[in-house]
Amino acid sequence: MTTWLLRRILQALLIVGAMSVTVFVAVNVIGDPVEVLISPEATQEERARLIASLGLDQPLWKQYLNFVSDALRGSLGNSFVYNEPALGLVFSRLPATLELAVLALLIAILVGIPLGLYAGLNPDSKASKTIMAGSILGFSLPTFWVGLVMIMVFAVQLGWLPSSGRGQTVEVFGVRWSFLTADGLQHMLLPAVNLALFKLSMVLRLTRAGTRETLSMDFVKFARAKGLKPARVIGVHVLKNIMIPIVTVLGLELGSLIAFAVVTETIFDWPGMGKLIVDSIYVLDRPVIVAYLMMIVLLFVTLNLIVDILYSVLDPRVRLESRT
Amino acid sequence: MTVTSVTDRNSPTLEVQDLKTHFFLKGGVLRAVDGVSFTVGRGKILGLVGESGSGKSITGFSIIGLIDPPGRITSGRILFRDRDLSKLSEKEMRQLRGNRIAMIFQDPMMTLNPVLRIDTQMVEAVLAHDKISKQEARARARDALGMVGIPSPEERLSAYPHQLSGGMRQRVAIAISMLHQPDLIIADEPTTALDVTIQAQILAEVQKLARDHGTALIWITHDLSVVAGLADEVAVMYAGRIVEQGNVDSVLDRSLHPYTHGLIGSVPSQNRARKRLVQIPGMTPNLLDLPPGCAFRSRCAHADMACEQDPPITTPEPNHALRCFHPQREYAA
């Protein structure tokens, strides 16, 4: 287990290294920030001074080496726009995105698994067919459109929920959270549901497919032949088996929830990382873009690692193979 | 729970009367079991023999009440210790399942839940019917493992199924079926997936367990040689019906139904070494559009016009029943 873990961590570090090169090169290709940052009336000398101060006069490989040596000391450079450490800027927006993503994930799990289980257990009932049809809408309608419709219906016409911002926040451990206040939760609800809709449909369909498949297995019939109550057969024998693919997918999807909250955050004006990255791309604020992308890379790598470990907890067969 | 009156001892453990289990499919009604009757006495072993699709497994699942839609028991009585199982509610049935009636499945690789440890799967089976502590249940599970010949049962308890061989897993399944010392065990081809040597060991152990505890046993198989060494009575099923049944010696030594001849002829034996094995021509008929009359007639060398009617049940000798117009004394081959 330990060697396996060490090997996995080493692999993860290699991926981070490779990604840093890709990200750095890609960001340098998409455009010249100087054009955006400097007013057209600036003289040639002012231009040169600014370029030198940003370190953009050096060759790309040198810029990269500087970036890596800074990164190893925990700095990803200063934002061109805010002149603050880029990493700090990204981190200051992290809690907003994180709480949104976690709430969306919770909605996806708490609604998706029970509905999927129901649809899997009663495949022919009207309710199940309605649920399945709804789930097709859930992952085929574009997020931005659903978000706009939700704002129109629930915020504008019914006036039940606010349409933008984080609402009232509470500071805990120096970080501002929305989910701890009633007003904040109200503000979170629409964007979280919007963000959750796709994952919810996916969890639902995954659960239903897993339930249908597992129910036909001999061990389920054997469990019933032992005289177990249906609650135990479904709740333990079936559910524990279908949790394996669901945990895998959800672990990876948490990463994409955070990474792709961009659309939802933009529509609901949620001041998270997604909003920051969109704004930064407009002004070609390279350090912030790089810092954000590197953080997403780290996030995915870490989540993959956690999923692998969780997987081995859930599935004893994986546990044994990984030891050898 | 186990109050055995005097009348109980004399009446058979299980009496199945004219059982019909049909599956209502889109393409029509599939008569998987179509009027099956037999009895199994206390401590007796009945061999239920037939090809794949003859309805023998469905008969077993009907008795233990695990027929899922679109299947349904449409008529007949299943008298288990004088109670009609087909009339019981699901809750009453659940209290019997695994407790008084147990079942062993065909494929030991699939019967144990791969993600639960052996002790979890055994303890839950004990606690489903007895209100005792977890420690007691675990001790009972350990004893049951020892009883079916599993070495170092304490270690095996904390193993996962994939850490055990097929033979070991089938012993675990048998141990689970024995946990409550049931009155009836339905074994659905439990040794088919195992090595011949393991098969022999398991047969011997099951036979001993059944004799020791007075457990009635229904042994579902397609292997007549297993039945010959194990069963007291045998019933040969074809297309949802029993075509020949009776005492194991008289049915196997003096078989009369052409289908039983075919089954016996297709077992390799040392006496008839280097001769071609006899095959039954054709395949089991499609149960969805079964014409009336004897279902075997399309594959039978002796069939004639008479076979287009349903053959009546005859009793050529005591404890030997038959459903055929043309009983054959000699082997057809």
Side-chain angles (χ1 to χ4, degrees), chain A residues 199-261:
Chain A
K199 310 294 169 202
L200 192 157
S201 311
M202 201 182 55
V203 169
L204 195 161
R205 298 190 78 86
L206 216 58
T207 310
R208 175 184 179 271
T211 308
R212 301 272 288 141
E213 193 188 318
T214 312
L215 275 182
S216 66
M217 303 288 252
D218 265 3
F219 64 77
V220 172
K221 212 158 200 183
F222 188 64
R224 289 167 64 199
K226 290 196 287 193
L228 301 182
K229 294 205 170 85
R232 176 141 186 116
V233 176
I234 303 297
V236 176
H237 285 261
V238 174
L239 206 57
K240 198 158 179 207
N241 270 282
I242 59 175
M243 280 321 279
I244 295 170
I246 292 177
V247 165
T248 316
V249 171
L250 276 185
L252 300 176
E253 291 296 325
L254 177 63
S256 76
L257 267 181
I258 294 172
F260 304 123

Side-chain angles (χ1 to χ4, degrees), chain B residues 19 45 49 75 78 81 85 97 123 129 148 162 176 221 224 260 265 299 306 309 324 330:
Chain B
L19 174 71
I45 301 178
V49 189
S75 70
I78 304 168
R81 306 206 315 171
L85 297 185
R97 246 183 246 139
V123 166
H129 302 291
V148 293
H162 68 92
I176 289 176
T221 182
L224 274 177
T260 317
R299 304 168 72 186
Q309 306 295 316
C324 183
E330 303 296 320

